[in-house]
Amino acid sequence: VAKAAGRNTYRFFDASMQADALERMRLLGKLHNAIERKELRLHYQPQLDLRSGAVIGAEALIRWQQPELGLVSPARFIPLAEDSGLIVPIGAWVLREACRQAAAWQEAGLPPIVVAVNLSVVQFRHGDLVRTVADALAESGLDPALLELELTESILIGDVDAVSQAVTRLKALGLRLSIDDFGTGYSNLAYLKRFAFDKLKIDQSFVRDMDSNADSCALVRAIVQMAHGLGLGTIAEGVERGELVEQLRRLNCDEAQGYHFGRPMPPEEFADYLARARSRAAA
Ligand code: C2E
Ligand code: MG
Ligand code: MG
Ligand code: MG
């Protein structure tokens, strides 16, 4: 009996795993055509300077509006795109679209802001990344100083010389590099000394409860001090409540991003947000 039950259990997992794999394959099939079918969009989330309160940047976040499934979260399809290699053309589209949009905002007379684009480790290892970024900049005419690329610590696992070369070539384009979700990945801090990054994005998990959790607060304080000691800027992610803003200012954190200031929004809405922020600052 035990043997039979064991076997059934095995079959049960097998079937659910198979269903999951099928689900992923169906989603991947749909994702293949998403670019041509214009189902991908970028939303933009404001980033603010904590001293002046000015909006100084926008993170571009991908959205997939799938006709049958509705809005599919990047948490669901980015891993699929990475495993299949589709992230390379999708990532190239994101870069072109974000640069085009940022240049258009400039031409429309909106205040200059930096547009931050997420890069997958798969794109980073792909030989054409530097060319893809250079092309997106050239095609859009965007000032490279207004482009920031967000990398994660996962890029640092593996061939250090290859990483070093890619970082140097990207920086030579005149853009900025930040480390996303800082504090949750690779723990060898020597890389911060070796590579020319500009900013650490302090992970939401430390920021979220820093007003009630002394450990989170200590981590945020330590990250800011370390970053400044190394000549790097800091931005706190996931700032959902006003209480956190004062505390981040006290800890000398430079910038902040989160629902408290604004959710990721479609480009038209973001342009309105920027224009309103400017008139508030002028008042
Ligand atoms: P991320 O780069 O760390 O982006 C921040 C995520 O936190 C976004 O989720 C954003 O909507 C969310 N967020 C912002 N403020 C708050 C807040 O105050 N509270 C909470 N709870 N969440 C907040 P989203 O848009 O679902 O993106 C999830 C992840 O998907 C991103 O994490 C990034 O790793 C990836 N991703 C998004 N767009 C792209 C892309 O164009 N390319 C690549 N390679 N990855 C992307
Ligand atoms: Mg990011
Ligand atoms: Mg992040
Ligand atoms: Mg993340």
Side-chain angles (χ1 to χ4, degrees):
V1 176
K3 202 171 168 190
R7 215 179 258 165
N8 280 335
T9 312
Y10 178 77
R11 244 184 247 132
F12 171 75
F13 279 118
D14 200 37
S16 83
M17 272 157 55
Q18 211 169 0
D20 189 55
L22 256 166
E23 214 299 294
R24 285 166 56 93
M25 270 177 61
R26 280 187 39 209
L27 202 59
L28 184 58
K30 294 185 163 72
L31 189 57
H32 261 284
N33 304 311
I35 300 182
E36 301 94 274
R37 294 189 181 156
K38 302 199 187 312
E39 294 169 1
L40 301 177
R41 297 263 181 287
L42 293 182
H43 282 192
Y44 296 87
Q45 186 178 33
Q47 301 180 325
L48 281 87
D49 181 296
L50 280 168
R51 271 167 295 267
S52 67
V55 180
I56 46 151
E59 178 173 2
L61 292 155
I62 198 166
R63 297 292 178 260
W64 180 19
Q65 187 66 50
Q66 212 289 326
E68 295 136 60
L69 304 170
L71 199 64
V72 187
S73 151
R76 216 165 133 218
F77 73 87
I78 292 288
L80 273 184
E82 289 179 325
D83 292 346
S84 62
L86 263 187
I87 193 67
V88 173
I90 290 175
W93 176 83
V94 171
L95 276 161
R96 276 200 311 276
E97 176 58 18
C99 289
R100 186 201 61 74
Q101 182 62 75
W105 282 330
Q106 290 298 285
E107 274 163 44
L110 288 163
I113 53 154
V114 171
V115 67
V117 174
N118 291 283
L119 279 192
S120 153
V121 59
V122 178
Q123 286 171 275
F124 192 80
R125 300 223 171 106
H126 193 267
D128 278 347
L129 176 64
V130 180
R131 162 76 67 84
T132 304
V133 175
D135 285 351
L137 285 166
E139 210 178 283
S140 61
L142 182 70
D143 177 356
L146 296 182
L147 177 64
E148 181 171 304
L149 301 180
E150 298 191 1
L151 305 163
T152 59
E153 292 165 286
S154 58
I155 62 154
L156 300 158
I157 299 161
D159 185 345
V160 183
D161 289 330
V163 174
S164 173
Q165 220 180 59
V167 166
T168 306
R169 291 177 63 209
L170 284 171
K171 286 291 299 186
L173 297 175
L175 46 76
R176 310 181 197 201
L177 296 178
S178 62
I179 300 288
D180 203 355
D181 306 334
F182 182 79
T184 62
Y186 194 64
S187 61
N188 180 352
L189 293 175
Y191 80 84
L192 290 177
K193 203 170 76 171
R194 169 154 185 186
F195 303 125
F197 296 116
D198 299 281
K199 195 192 288 181
L200 302 183
K201 298 197 73 175
I202 306 170
D203 192 66
Q204 324 200 354
S205 59
F206 308 134
V207 175
R208 198 175 294 138
D209 63 349
M210 59 182 283
D211 54 345
S212 61
N213 184 316
D215 293 339
S216 295
C217 182
L219 280 167
V220 173
R221 177 186 289 115
I223 292 171
V224 171
Q225 283 179 356
M226 177 186 68
H228 289 171
L230 291 165
L232 305 177
T234 48
I235 180 164
E237 296 191 84
V239 179
E240 292 187 1
R241 293 170 290 113
E243 290 85 344
L244 300 171
V245 177
E246 211 21 67
Q247 198 174 355
L248 285 165
R249 279 205 191 96
R250 276 202 301 277
L251 296 180
N252 270 324
C253 185
D254 305 289
E255 300 168 14
Q257 171 181 353
Y259 295 167
H260 173 69
F261 301 105
R263 291 189 174 245
M265 48 194 124
E268 315 77 52
E269 212 177 296
F270 186 82
D272 287 347
Y273 179 97
L274 252 188
R276 276 201 312 276
R278 178 171 55 175
S279 57
R280 260 202 314 276

